[in-house]
Amino acid sequence: MNIEDSYRNPFSDYNANVMDTKKILDYWCSPFAFFKTAPVSEEDIYRHNMPIVFMGGRGTGKTMFLKYFSYETQRDKALRETDGKTPGAIMSYLKSRGGIGFYLRFDGPVLRSFEGKGVSPEKWDAIFTQYFELQVCKSYIEVIADLVNRKQLSQKDIDDNFVACIARRLGGQDRHPKQIKDILDMVEDALEEITEFRAKIGFSEAEFVPKKAFASQDLSFGVVEIARKTIKEFGNDLNFVILLDEYENYLERQQVIVNTLLKFVRQGMTFRIGMRLQGFHTIATISRNEFIMEGRDYSKYVFEDILVKDREYRKFLWNVAKKRLENIPIFKEKNYLDISSFLGKEEHLEEEAAKLVKGEESKLKYFDLPEYSSRLRSKISDNLVDDTRKLIAKPDNPLLELLNVLWLVRGNEAQEIKKAMDEYLSGRVSSSLAKKYKRDYVDKYKLSLMFLLASVYHRRKMYYSFNTYCFLSSGIIGNFIELCRRSFQYAYFENRDALLNDGKISNEIQDRAARDLADTQLEMTKRIRDYGHNIYLFAKNLGNLFAEYHKDLLIRYPETNQFTIDASASGDEELRGILRSAIEWSIIQEKPTLQQRTPGAPRTNIYTLNRVFSPTFDLTYRTRGGHSEEFNTSDLKALMTQDGIKSQLGSKKKAKKEGFQPEIGLK
Amino acid sequence: MKLLSCSPTNVARDYDYFLVACGSDYRAYQVLRKSKDYRISIKKALTFDFQQRHDDLDPESLQAYQSCESLGIDTEQVPCSIVDPSACVKMLGSFDPELVNAKNVAIDISCFTKPYFFCILKYLKEKTTISSVTVFYTEPLSYVFAKGLYYSYHSTFGPLSVMEIPGFPGNDTRTTKKVLVVLLGFDRELSLFISEEVAPDEIVIINGFPAYAPKFKDISLINNEKLISSAGPSSIRYARASNPFETFNLLEQLYNQEPFAFFNVAPIGTKPMALGACLFALFYPTVRIVYPLPEKYAHVTTKECWNSWSYEVPLRIVMKNENALGKS
């Protein structure tokens, strides 16, 4: 086969749920190797006794993370590292790690089937407990059976000791199980009782009468105790680690049942739980007066917090991409393994600006823009307008030219501006004004000027480059992978030669991929299970609101894309619910630490609109902090329930006459 | 499978019960409207009245919705909620105790939501002794595309919740892999939502082809691009959009190829294809049916009527490898 024919999109495997162990090992990029700020070590995953909750938005890599630590992946890793030739390699590898991971994921449709249909909640609790205990037990038994099959455990010891004890626990001595597979059969039969009940209860009255009922902990804890006592190869220092994924899908009452297990974990077994942000629907346990508390009963780590604040995030993404590119023969052969080479390292704003205004340089008269002309009229007499224009003109760099206009509007003299610009361009910045000019341009306004320029010319700023994609992904690895997937897909159809032979994807294609993803994700928010329509309106209104800041000719608050909520809003249950769901789905993101909305203001939670939506609204792809919008209850209600909310930024009616303090609010 | 026409070749049929969903689409009562032409006689029609459907209808649509009352057929309304088919079928027995003794039953699925007709057919299989049901279906003349052919069709609105259809949980015990078969529809987000919830090891896509119109096959593919790209082009199969038995046969063939797989079927394509999936799950109870339950269904998704079909659906064939849970 021609090597080009073997091409497939390196980013088409976007869902860790459907990856087998080989793919997980192929694509695994250890976060522990990159993130210096990671509060948990790889060793802790198996050895730390306290349950750990890993929270993160959709696509942050929770499933990949948990699956990597599962028995199946670690087993295959051990086999890969020893070529499968060393006897006892798996068992000794597991012991060196300190534990065995049992990965469990129940899909939403199953979990949601344990309610309603005329059955009381208390009965469903008992049935779900039975189901959960049996599923955990099944995963233990499957792993032990696999270890027996692979001759890592002595079949005789297991049959003689473990099987008999478990049979008693399962209440199936009368079946006289002899081998571990007989135990598995018993567990499967017990699970079938539940399935049969679920099949009947949907259209007829049925009673759930299991042969043996199990209470919480009977099997999830009980089997561990038996295994540690009867399987000598396990010894006392091999922990059973239950890796529970998508905990947010559990119904509230189901979480109560599992929370109780979390609270009472015993020596030798613990939990690692993956869930969305805000994924705890309750912190209650079965005991009325007992709750689970972070720090006391479990530790919590938020993926985005680690990812976003750590400077190594970009390096991590680069490696994520490299692992995928390595799996494509044509790229491997040509050594096209650097994603930043496909996408370009970062943007070239000056080039982009020059391209954007090309052919229309003379059409635009900045001085005629209403917000500038009203301010300049009092400062420059009519006979000096042309001279001023000439002084601050910079046709080959529209961004500098726009900055010059802004400086002029802000009260600087044209000669001063020209001097500062010339100093900056010559690379010999010595005067304080030139230093400020450089700061304004390079550090403060360059990107804002680009957005403003695009707005003035009724064009759109493009989203391209590895750097931009890293920012747009907002700490969500899945977003980065999807941005790349779309780029590679479009490039394969539209410019295959550049993709496969040069290892390049054009800026235009990248931009379209970013826009399509943003639009699609915004559209998808409507279908979110809780408050989908409100979340859609909220995201759309926030986007439009922030877009006004980006079009502000005076750039009063550059790149604003964050907001705070005043205390009054926390009293409204529905608004809280919408906000919670928006965070759970990472439509908005909460900054990890409390911050000041404005200098001197009290510290508070700050939220940003997920930057993956930026291309839809022509917003900045980064969060630079500074100003935040503040919403009260009625603002929030309007943003979440009404279409077409607009900002009053720069509204003539309300704007103060002097200074550049805008009146911002909703109308 | 028979194309209904007014020709005298149609064999006359008498039905004790004719189950039909109330709707404002013209095709909702097309078979009832033409029952005499089709030489169908009906003793009693049970009309399923969905509260959510008539709540915010304009007067014209409401008149269409209620028009079955003026067809001169003995009708009785079954009040029901679109989101809870389980509660509805559970009360069917007490609502009309004679239904379980019926000899000939027909159901028009044109305007039933899929979870509803799945539950009703399961109920008829489990609670009555009839050996088969006549299923009627009227094709739309066209679908409503709000803003152009591509990307704009929506049969559902608002938040989605992927559910097992009550009575169809399947059975995943003793299986080694999870397969999701998606009967492809036009709605852009549905298939992705389902596949993310179910998280299968393998995805098979069945597209309706030949479709009612040549473009429809491609609209389905375009709207499900992400799913197809993740499943791979070799995962696409085809079954005639109007023939439930082709879907049944294809599903059975796939099922037999994967004897240790937990089969999940998402019937988001045409109603006849969904009927094929229903029939398949009735005969293979280890198969789970998953479906995205929306907050709201679109009031009008189709225009006028095209062909009406009748399908004689067997309920009593014992499959060679069926035990209590249908597992071989």
Side-chain angles (χ1 to χ4, degrees):
Chain A
M1 185 166 59
N2 182 326
I3 196 158
E4 279 195 23
D5 295 338
S6 72
Y7 173 81
R8 64 180 175 82
N9 190 327
F11 299 92
S12 61
D13 296 310
Y14 60 90
N15 188 352
N17 270 320
V18 300
M19 284 185 199
D20 57 20
T21 55
K22 183 185 176 302
K23 271 195 182 148
I24 287 174
L25 287 170
D26 284 349
Y27 294 163
W28 173 251
C29 202
S30 173
F32 302 104
F34 290 92
F35 298 115
K36 295 180 180 73
T37 58
V40 60
S41 72
E42 188 157 353
E43 200 181 271
D44 291 339
I45 302 297
Y46 293 113
R47 295 191 191 273
H48 192 55
N49 202 50
M50 185 183 273
I52 304 176
V53 170
F54 294 101
M55 284 189 175
R58 180 167 173 256
T60 42
K62 302 181 296 294
T63 297
M64 183 85 168
F65 185 85
L66 292 178
K67 276 189 144 182
Y68 175 76
F69 290 102
S70 70
Y71 163 74
E72 290 76 10
T73 309
Q74 293 299 312
R75 174 198 66 200
D76 290 356
K77 187 166 185 262
L79 292 172
R80 207 182 254 201
E81 284 173 6
T82 60
D83 293 333
K85 286 173 188 160
T86 317
I90 299 170
M91 202 58 225
S92 59
Y93 180 78
L94 294 174
K95 290 193 92 165
S96 74
R97 303 285 271 166
I100 306 177
F102 301 89
Y103 178 83
L104 284 162
R105 175 192 181 270
F106 303 123
D107 67 32
V110 166
L111 293 168
R112 288 190 279 278
S113 76
F114 285 84
E115 70 171 349
K117 304 175 189 79
V119 177
S120 72
E122 292 75 20
K123 274 192 186 159
W124 275 126
D125 288 350
I127 299 166
F128 177 74
T129 301
Q130 179 94 352
Y131 179 77
F132 186 84
E133 289 292 315
L134 284 164
Q135 286 287 4
V136 173
C137 175
K138 182 180 159 187
S139 83
Y140 293 154
I141 303 296
E142 279 174 340
V143 168
I144 293 169
D146 191 62
L147 286 168
V148 170
N149 282 343
R150 292 171 187 271
K151 305 196 185 323
Q152 306 291 309
L153 297 176
S154 149
Q155 171 135 21
K156 187 174 181 317
D157 284 356
I158 294 289
D159 294 348
D160 292 351
N161 306 315
F162 180 71
V163 168
C165 291
I166 293 292
R168 273 198 297 282
R169 179 61 61 111
L170 289 170
Q173 308 92 302
D174 52 331
R175 288 172 62 163
H176 305 295
K178 290 188 174 59
Q179 295 183 326
I180 190 90
K181 68 177 175 54
D182 302 325
I183 295 290
L184 200 54
D185 258 348
M186 288 167 62
V187 177
E188 299 274 28
D189 288 348
L191 279 166
E192 275 187 356
E193 291 177 345
I194 302 170
T195 308
E196 266 185 87
F197 173 76
R198 290 199 299 123
K200 281 184 190 155
I201 196 65
F203 63 95
S204 62
E205 301 306 329
E207 277 296 316
F208 179 62
V209 191
K211 285 200 182 88
K212 180 173 168 67
F214 298 103
S216 183
Q217 303 185 8
D218 274 359
L219 303 175
S220 53
F221 290 13
V223 174
V224 179
E225 276 170 24
I226 294 169
R228 284 165 68 90
K229 273 184 199 156
T230 59
I231 303 175
K232 65 174 187 301
E233 289 91 338
F234 283 177
N236 282 326
D237 50 359
L238 192 73
N239 288 327
F240 279 47
V241 181
I242 299 177
L243 309 160
L244 221 53
D245 204 0
E246 298 190 9
Y247 197 56
E248 73 281 358
N249 277 341
Y250 288 56
L251 303 175
E252 188 173 328
R253 296 183 72 100
Q254 295 167 346
Q255 286 199 350
V256 170
I257 292 163
V258 181
N259 286 350
T260 312
L261 297 175
L262 237 64
K263 189 167 181 67
F264 297 108
V265 287
R266 294 181 196 157
Q267 193 64 31
M269 69 92 59
T270 189
F271 287 86
R272 305 291 176 246
I273 296 188
M275 69 170 89
R276 295 263 175 95
L277 301 158
Q278 310 279 330
F280 272 123
H281 305 311
T282 176
I283 52 166
T285 68
I286 294 170
S287 316
R288 194 174 290 174
N289 299 321
E290 300 263 29
F291 297 91
I292 50 167
M293 265 178 64
E294 187 186 337
R296 188 189 65 188
D297 301 309
Y298 68 93
S299 332
K300 182 186 97 179
Y301 303 114
V302 177
F303 272 51
E304 282 99 321
D305 288 359
I306 303 166
L307 296 175
V308 170
K309 78 179 175 194
D310 203 297
R311 290 177 178 196
E312 301 300 311
Y313 178 54
R314 261 191 271 186
K315 207 190 263 180
F316 180 67
L317 291 182
W318 187 88
N319 270 280
V320 165
K322 182 171 177 268
K323 294 257 179 182
R324 287 165 176 268
L325 294 166
E326 277 171 352
N327 272 278
I328 308 303
I330 188 167
F331 294 150
K332 193 167 184 188
E333 189 186 276
K334 296 188 174 191
N335 202 27
Y336 290 164
L337 307 178
D338 178 357
I339 186 67
S340 65
S341 172
F342 279 95
L343 306 175
K345 275 195 176 64
E346 47 196 29
E347 301 167 298
H348 296 288
L349 291 176
E350 282 87 355
E351 266 177 37
E352 189 187 347
K355 207 169 164 187
L356 189 135
V357 303
K358 198 174 177 189
E360 293 189 37
E361 294 92 337
S362 58
K363 284 187 190 165
L364 188 75
K365 310 279 185 226
Y366 289 117
F367 287 23
D368 298 336
L369 294 169
E371 259 177 312
Y372 289 160
S373 68
S374 61
R375 286 177 168 85
L376 293 175
R377 213 173 294 132
S378 59
K379 291 173 186 158
I380 307 166
S381 54
D382 290 349
N383 59 340
L384 288 177
V385 166
D386 281 344
D387 291 342
T388 307
R389 275 186 214 265
K390 275 179 199 157
L391 273 172
I392 64 164
K394 185 66 185 149
D396 59 336
N397 187 337
L399 296 177
L400 281 184
E401 191 168 80
L402 189 52
L403 178 68
N404 293 347
V405 178
L406 192 69
W407 268 43
L408 200 62
V409 171
R410 288 182 174 183
N412 295 67
E413 294 297 329
Q415 283 86 354
E416 285 177 339
I417 298 170
K418 178 163 172 48
K419 197 165 169 272
M421 176 175 72
D422 289 344
E423 261 191 61
Y424 163 69
L425 289 171
S426 69
R428 294 187 303 274
V429 178
S430 56
S431 71
S432 62
L433 199 65
K435 282 179 187 163
K436 184 173 183 324
Y437 188 88
K438 185 185 173 191
R439 269 201 311 277
D440 270 11
Y441 183 59
V442 179
D443 304 332
K444 217 169 168 185
Y445 292 128
K446 197 173 182 180
L447 187 57
S448 300
L449 289 165
M450 186 66 226
F451 279 105
L452 186 56
L453 188 77
S455 155
V456 166
Y457 275 84
H458 304 292
R459 303 272 171 79
R460 302 189 80 169
K461 153 101 188 72
M462 293 210 293
Y463 294 83
Y464 58 94
S465 83
F466 174 63
N467 180 53
T468 305
Y469 272 20
C470 291
F471 275 115
L472 285 177
S473 70
S474 297
I476 296 172
I477 300 155
N479 281 348
F480 175 75
I481 291 174
E482 180 58 13
L483 283 163
C484 293
R485 185 190 76 84
R486 285 176 187 251
S487 285
F488 275 72
Q489 172 145 327
Y490 298 169
Y492 184 71
F493 284 103
E494 292 173 24
N495 203 346
R496 190 174 304 185
D497 192 47
L499 176 71
L500 300 182
N501 295 323
D502 307 331
K504 301 282 177 207
I505 297 175
S506 72
N507 294 348
E508 288 73 18
I509 284 177
Q510 292 179 51
D511 178 55
R512 192 144 42 81
R515 287 188 188 287
D516 285 354
L517 176 62
D519 293 348
T520 308
Q521 290 221 355
L522 185 66
E523 196 63 22
M524 294 276 270
T525 58
K526 290 179 188 166
R527 314 312 297 257
I528 290 173
R529 199 169 53 246
D530 299 321
Y531 305 110
H533 185 60
N534 300 101
I535 292 172
Y536 169 73
L537 288 176
F538 190 36
K540 199 169 118 182
N541 285 326
L542 281 175
N544 286 326
L545 200 65
F546 293 141
E548 293 298 314
Y549 282 94
H550 290 66
K551 292 178 201 158
D552 177 22
L553 285 162
L554 304 174
I555 316 188
R556 287 167 287 201
Y557 295 109
E559 298 177 57
T560 292
N561 59 356
Q562 57 185 30
F563 64 95
T564 62
I565 295 168
D566 82 6
S568 68
S570 63
D572 189 307
E573 200 176 319
E574 191 182 15
L575 297 187
R576 271 204 331 263
I578 299 168
L579 199 65
R580 190 187 152 100
S581 190
I583 294 171
E584 182 186 333
W585 285 82
S586 301
I587 307 305
I588 58 168
Q589 295 178 302
E590 196 174 354
K591 285 203 164 180
T593 48
L594 300 181
Q595 294 183 8
Q596 291 172 304
R597 191 177 82 83
T598 48
R603 290 187 176 274
T604 182
N605 284 322
I606 291 191
Y607 305 90
T608 55
L609 179 65
N610 191 317
R611 293 184 303 245
V612 78
F613 298 119
S614 294
T616 297
F617 302 103
D618 297 310
L619 304 180
T620 178
Y621 48 76
R622 58 185 188 178
T623 307
R624 48 176 281 178
H627 175 73
S628 302
E629 275 270 17
E630 185 179 22
F631 300 132
N632 58 28
T633 311
S634 64
D635 293 337
L636 269 186
K637 198 164 260 177
L639 288 164
M640 291 169 171
T641 57
Q642 294 172 27
D643 206 353
I645 298 290
K646 285 180 186 161
S647 161
Q648 287 186 339
L649 175 67
S651 146
K652 275 186 187 169
K653 218 157 113 188
K654 287 193 172 182
K656 288 183 182 171
K657 282 181 185 169
E658 291 302 323
F660 295 124
Q661 289 303 309
E663 291 289 323
I664 301 161
L666 309 174
K667 63 178 176 185
Chain B
M1 175 170 158
K2 218 179 326 179
L3 180 63
L4 295 181
S5 67
C6 301
S7 83
T9 52
N10 269 350
V11 181
R13 284 293 301 264
D14 298 335
Y15 294 105
D16 304 329
Y17 285 93
F18 189 99
L19 280 50
V20 62
C22 298
S24 50
D25 275 21
Y26 189 71
R27 63 183 178 141
Y29 313 121
Q30 175 73 348
V31 174
L32 283 179
R33 207 178 284 121
K34 293 198 149 196
S35 56
K36 280 192 187 131
D37 299 341
Y38 296 153
R39 302 175 66 203
I40 294 168
S41 100
I42 296 160
K43 275 192 194 139
K44 190 176 188 179
L46 293 180
T47 57
F48 287 68
D49 176 27
F50 297 100
Q51 190 203 336
Q52 294 91 334
R53 274 192 186 166
H54 61 65
D55 269 359
D56 47 355
L57 285 178
D58 58 67
E60 198 183 335
S61 302
L62 188 62
Q63 197 182 357
Y65 184 90
Q66 292 166 337
S67 63
C68 68
E69 291 160 16
S70 57
L71 294 174
I73 295 166
D74 178 18
T75 60
E76 188 163 7
Q77 274 197 348
V78 182
C80 49
S81 161
I82 220 154
V83 294
D84 197 356
S86 172
C88 177
V89 289
K90 276 185 172 182
M91 64 99 178
L92 267 183
S94 53
F95 183 80
D96 192 333
E98 285 308 306
L99 181 61
V100 291
N101 301 320
K103 296 280 181 279
N104 292 305
V105 178
I107 176 171
D108 186 333
I109 61 170
S110 308
C111 283
F112 268 116
T113 65
K114 286 161 192 159
Y116 253 91
F117 81 72
F118 273 64
C119 284
I120 292 171
L121 288 174
K122 173 108 183 175
Y123 174 87
L124 293 174
K125 181 179 185 229
E126 300 294 332
K127 300 289 177 189
T128 72
T129 54
I130 52 176
S131 58
S132 67
V133 183
T134 309
V135 178
F136 291 101
Y137 175 68
T138 301
E139 291 169 0
L141 184 65
S142 68
Y143 288 93
V144 176
F145 295 92
K147 296 175 200 160
L149 270 184
Y150 302 100
Y151 304 135
S152 70
Y153 177 86
H154 287 287
S155 63
T156 63
F157 294 106
L160 283 176
S161 190
V162 181
M163 313 290 283
E164 291 174 357
I165 292 187
F168 295 85
N171 182 7
D172 65 348
T173 51
R174 298 180 177 85
T175 56
T176 52
K177 77 189 249 199
K178 202 180 205 181
V179 174
L180 172 66
V181 184
V182 182
L183 310 184
L184 223 49
F186 294 159
D187 285 68
R188 205 174 174 190
E189 312 89 358
L190 296 188
S191 63
L192 257 191
F193 257 86
I194 295 169
S195 82
E196 283 184 7
E197 282 267 12
V198 173
D201 301 298
E202 187 185 331
I203 297 171
V204 180
I205 291 160
I206 302 183
N207 198 6
F209 180 75
Y212 298 133
K215 288 186 194 75
F216 289 174
K217 169 189 74 101
D218 299 322
I219 297 174
S220 304
L221 294 177
I222 288 167
N223 280 308
N224 292 281
E225 172 273 320
K226 194 171 175 188
L227 184 79
I228 293 165
S229 100
S230 101
S234 61
S235 64
I236 304 175
R237 308 295 183 89
Y238 295 93
R240 186 181 291 267
S242 62
N243 188 339
F245 305 108
E246 260 192 37
T247 301
F248 178 93
N249 289 338
L250 180 53
L251 287 170
E252 193 178 46
Q253 185 192 337
L254 293 168
Y255 184 78
N256 289 333
Q257 283 166 5
E258 298 275 8
F260 300 108
F262 175 39
F263 252 67
N264 291 257
V265 181
I268 52 176
T270 66
K271 290 260 172 66
M273 290 171 78
L275 176 63
C278 177
L279 199 55
F280 173 63
L282 286 176
F283 287 122
Y284 293 96
T286 55
V287 171
R288 176 164 78 152
I289 304 289
V290 285
Y291 194 73
L293 204 65
E295 184 184 68
K296 220 172 164 185
Y297 286 92
H299 278 315
V300 179
T301 57
T302 62
K303 276 186 194 160
E304 302 176 43
C305 303
W306 188 238
N307 295 322
S308 291
W309 296 87
S310 82
Y311 310 101
E312 204 56 32
V313 171
L315 295 177
R316 303 284 156 215
I317 299 171
V318 177
M319 309 308 285
K320 60 182 177 207
N321 54 357
E322 187 182 19
N323 65 16
L325 274 166
K327 197 77 197 171
S328 56

